[in-house]
Amino acid sequence: MIKETIRVVVCGDDGVGKTSLIISLVKGAFEPYLQPVLPQITIPRDFSSSRYSPKNTKLIDTDNNDPVGMQRELRNADVIWLVYSDKDSYERISLYWMITFRSLGLNIPVILCKNKCDEYTTSSKPEDFMNTKVEDEEFIPILMAFKEVDTCIKTSAKTHFAVNQAFYLCQRSILYPISPLFDSRVGELKPLAVSALKRIFILCDEDQDGFLSDDEIISLQKKCFGKSIDLNELNFIKQTLMDLSSSEEYPSDILFVPTKGLTKQGFIALNKIYTERGRHETTWGILRNFHYTDSLSIDDEVLYPKVYVPEQASVELSPKGYRFLVDIFIKFDSDNDGALNDGELSNLFRSTPGLPNLWRETNFPASTVVNGKGFITLQGWLAQWAMTTYLDYKATTAYLVYLGFQENAKVAVQVTKSRKMRRRQGRFYRSYVSDRKVFNCFIVGKRNSGKSSLLESFLGRLFSESYSPTIRPRLAVNNVEVSGDKQFYLILQELGEQETAIIQNRQKLSECDALCLVYDSSDPESFSYLVELYENNSAMKDIPIVFVALKADLDKQQQRCQYQPDEFTESLFLDHPLHVSSTWSSSLSQLFKKIIEASLVPGKYTPGFPPETKPTEIDYSSAVIVGSSIGFLALLSFTVAKLLRPLQQPK
């Protein structure tokens, strides 16, 4: 995050021109007669300044006769502008000033300024103001001895020479610090800087050919600096890298290929050149646009934007989020086979910390749809992200940023409406939902009842006779088509050995949209587990429930239980158990649709409620029936009377 205000504390021996430098900076002119110490001066950001400049820069003059006040200001400083002007004041840099800064425990940059270089004037037009800092025998020992010294510069308050540049160096040392980027002792970019630049290279390499073409370099320049790169500068960069490729520093590295562009190593070498030549604001311009902070980590506010999620609401991907994830999948599906093999998946996640933790915990890719070779398909890719967003939307926003999402990651997700509660017969229950596309279902049942096989079938995998008990929770996610063209994502969670603990935890249980209570219809001991679980956990009575008889292809057994399944579900006013087999695809499809329906219309599947009647409809029907009967009788009476009338002869 860019600092709102930078505090620059100006220090140095008496008579070196500290106050004159400040006046020369502020007024643009030299004034020979000044008060000994100036009050604090605030310099606002110029409209033409970079958007990364601080809003305000405070200049604090210091009084050597007030050491307590000086120490107070130094402890609050962001950068020190240290001034000397002659041999005596130069020697005190090492003997007094730097030692004083260290004794105060300061870890801030120092800009060393040699003032009263009046032989220079503004008309001298130095080729580059940074060139004034070097090849000076008095600067080099200071730079070598004190890592706190960020840079050195010559100035003249009298001729106004390089005063603005010195002030800019003070700002730059905070806005574009060199210490996180470059290790001056070994003359190399630091590992974190190299890692950040490698990631940026991957994101900018749109065609993933391992080179930055001219178009890709121009696109990067526009993104970071708002303008196209000059053709001469581009050619200069290419020539510089080609010359470096044959140097002793890069004996075996290919930095640039004329027909293709910059290599990754060339991109890093180029930024090293910028840093060595004092142009590290260029490197920071690139890093800042990819949201890197001074610690070379991506800004948390970018990774995790504030998203207000009300109670009883959920988070899903927005159309922009889905579109971006589709584009990323297509971009890295290099063989265009509709799936990401291990190499393609690894390449896709190169710009990230690796697979999300949630994916590792859920045994990805076993959690979603894969092809015959075990590679994730586009269907499985989108389902996996739908699940991630529902369970941990912060992981989604962070990874969208890692993968190069250009906008605020907040727009890639959307918050559903809070689930409302309705009251009936003195009880509250969940109302229907209309804006959700992702639902979470817990699969609950006795061990070996077929839960794992159900999850495998949900993902389109073949049934296996082998059995191994589920210890840790596992899940599966896939899309379900309901009523023709309506698509939903369904998360099925098998709770493993934590099943009882989760069912007893009302908060955990409230996280699911529906409970799927399953039993083995061929095992006479299976259903009693569900009855006991339901009767001992009152929180289950508030959750929509679907009962399922699994292994329906095997011989059905009478359950050794005080209730038979149909009898028990009737007592709860719920549908009879749905008979399902992993070998009957139609029964599976019917089950998944039913779970979606239970999530959409919870009241119909909440235990203990008789079917809702609609008095108005019943009254209307009764009225129609009664009215019809009365009308019929009246018509019959009239007809009989009419028929009998001619038989009655007058006397």
Side-chain angles (χ1 to χ4, degrees), residues 244-292:
L244 272 179
S245 294
S246 57
S247 68
E248 294 181 0
E249 189 174 359
Y250 300 94
S252 58
D253 291 326
I254 299 174
L255 306 181
F256 177 77
V257 176
T259 57
K260 295 183 177 180
L262 274 69
T263 65
K264 187 188 297 181
Q265 191 58 42
F267 182 65
I268 294 168
L270 178 63
N271 281 279
K272 180 186 175 186
I273 292 170
Y274 287 146
T275 306
E276 287 176 326
R277 296 182 180 178
R279 290 183 57 192
H280 46 281
E281 67 268 31
T282 302
T283 298
W284 273 117
I286 297 170
L287 293 168
R288 297 282 192 221
N289 272 278
F290 285 86
H291 312 299
Y292 281 93

Side-chain angles (χ1 to χ4, degrees), residues 311-591:
E311 191 175 353
Q312 297 297 319
S314 63
V315 184
E316 300 180 2
L317 283 165
S318 70
K320 281 189 175 182
Y322 279 116
R323 181 70 260 170
F324 176 78
L325 290 168
V326 169
D327 291 343
I328 283 288
F329 184 96
I330 294 170
K331 178 179 178 178
F332 285 90
D333 181 17
S334 54
D335 55 10
N336 296 315
D337 65 346
L340 296 177
N341 60 40
D342 292 343
E344 292 167 340
L345 194 65
S346 177
N347 284 337
L348 187 152
F349 280 104
R350 281 184 303 162
S351 62
T352 76
L355 288 178
N357 290 332
L358 180 61
W359 292 27
R360 293 193 185 95
E361 292 167 2
T362 53
N363 199 26
F364 172 83
S367 57
T368 193
V369 182
V370 296
N371 65 8
K373 297 179 181 179
F375 303 146
I376 186 171
T377 62
L378 178 59
Q379 177 185 348
W381 172 254
L382 294 178
Q384 186 75 10
W385 282 110
M387 176 269 295
T388 304
T389 308
Y390 183 94
L391 297 179
D392 183 10
Y393 75 88
K394 290 185 177 181
T396 295
T397 59
Y399 270 80
L400 289 176
V401 173
Y402 290 137
L403 292 169
F405 189 72
Q406 295 295 314
E407 299 180 64
N408 186 330
K410 186 176 181 178
V411 305
V413 297
Q414 58 191 20
V415 180
T416 65
K417 296 176 183 176
S418 294
R419 185 192 295 279
K420 291 181 171 58
M421 304 297 290
R422 295 181 65 186
R423 186 180 179 89
R424 184 180 171 200
Q425 297 180 353
R427 286 176 56 197
F428 284 100
Y429 68 97
R430 297 174 176 180
S431 181
Y432 71 93
V433 297
S434 59
D435 65 335
R436 297 192 182 192
K437 296 296 182 184
V438 184
F439 295 106
N440 186 23
C441 174
F442 290 171
I443 308 294
V444 176
K446 187 180 178 182
R447 180 176 291 192
N448 201 23
S449 58
K451 293 174 287 185
S452 296
S453 295
L454 180 61
L455 263 64
E456 292 294 315
S457 301
F458 180 51
L459 299 176
R461 292 169 192 162
L462 297 176
F463 173 72
S464 173
E465 293 284 353
S466 62
Y467 170 73
S468 59
T470 300
I471 308 300
R472 298 178 57 195
R474 57 168 298 197
L475 57 76
V477 60
N478 199 352
N479 66 308
V480 177
E481 186 174 302
V482 179
S483 303
D485 59 346
K486 292 183 179 179
Q487 295 281 343
F488 297 90
Y489 285 103
L490 178 60
I491 305 165
L492 298 183
Q493 295 199 52
E494 184 184 1
L495 308 178
E497 292 190 342
Q498 298 180 21
E499 181 171 283
T500 303
I502 290 175
I503 292 300
Q504 292 174 348
N505 186 324
R506 188 175 290 271
Q507 178 61 38
K508 284 286 184 184
L509 198 59
S510 69
E511 294 173 3
C512 77
D513 295 290
L515 281 172
C516 183
L517 302 188
V518 304
Y519 69 98
D520 179 356
S521 60
S522 68
D523 176 7
E525 307 290 343
S526 189
F527 189 73
S528 61
Y529 173 84
L530 296 180
V531 174
E532 182 180 355
L533 195 68
Y534 179 84
E535 290 181 342
N536 292 333
N537 293 280
S538 60
M540 294 177 67
K541 298 176 174 59
D542 300 326
I543 308 295
I545 295 177
V546 175
F547 280 89
V548 182
L550 293 177
K551 304 184 184 180
D553 56 318
L554 303 179
D555 292 338
K556 182 180 178 181
Q557 298 292 322
Q558 186 83 0
Q559 294 295 311
R560 297 193 186 103
C561 179
Q562 57 179 326
Y563 303 106
Q564 290 304 302
D566 287 358
E567 178 189 5
F568 185 69
T569 52
E570 284 177 3
S571 72
L572 302 178
F573 301 104
L574 297 176
D575 293 344
H576 289 173
L578 190 64
H579 290 264
V580 173
S581 168
S582 294
T583 60
W584 299 348
S585 59
S586 60
S587 68
L588 291 166
S589 176
Q590 186 180 358
L591 169 60

Side-chain angles (χ1 to χ4, degrees), residues 11 79-85 89-90 93-94 97-98 101 109-115 133 138-143 146 148-155 166 169-170:
C11 294
V79 58
I80 298 170
W81 187 350
L82 182 57
V83 185
Y84 76 98
S85 62
S89 57
Y90 170 76
I93 298 296
S94 302
W97 287 107
M98 297 307 300
F101 300 154
V110 175
I111 304 302
L112 184 59
C113 171
K114 183 179 182 180
N115 193 27
K133 69 182 181 181
E138 59 190 40
F139 284 164
I140 294 173
I142 298 291
L143 288 168
F146 302 100
E148 303 96 314
V149 178
D150 191 84
T151 190
C152 307
I153 188 169
K154 294 178 180 179
T155 62
L169 288 175
C170 292

Side-chain angles (χ1 to χ4, degrees), residues 73-121:
E73 295 295 352
L74 285 170
R75 288 194 174 97
N76 293 324
D78 294 304
V79 58
I80 298 170
W81 187 350
L82 182 57
V83 185
Y84 76 98
S85 62
D86 54 24
K87 184 177 179 181
D88 290 339
S89 57
Y90 170 76
E91 290 178 351
R92 278 176 51 82
I93 298 296
S94 302
L95 298 175
Y96 174 75
W97 287 107
M98 297 307 300
I99 293 173
T100 299
F101 300 154
R102 287 185 174 182
S103 69
L104 294 173
L106 301 180
N107 186 26
I108 57 176
V110 175
I111 304 302
L112 184 59
C113 171
K114 183 179 182 180
N115 193 27
K116 300 189 178 181
C117 297
D118 299 340
E119 66 273 21
Y120 295 104
T121 66

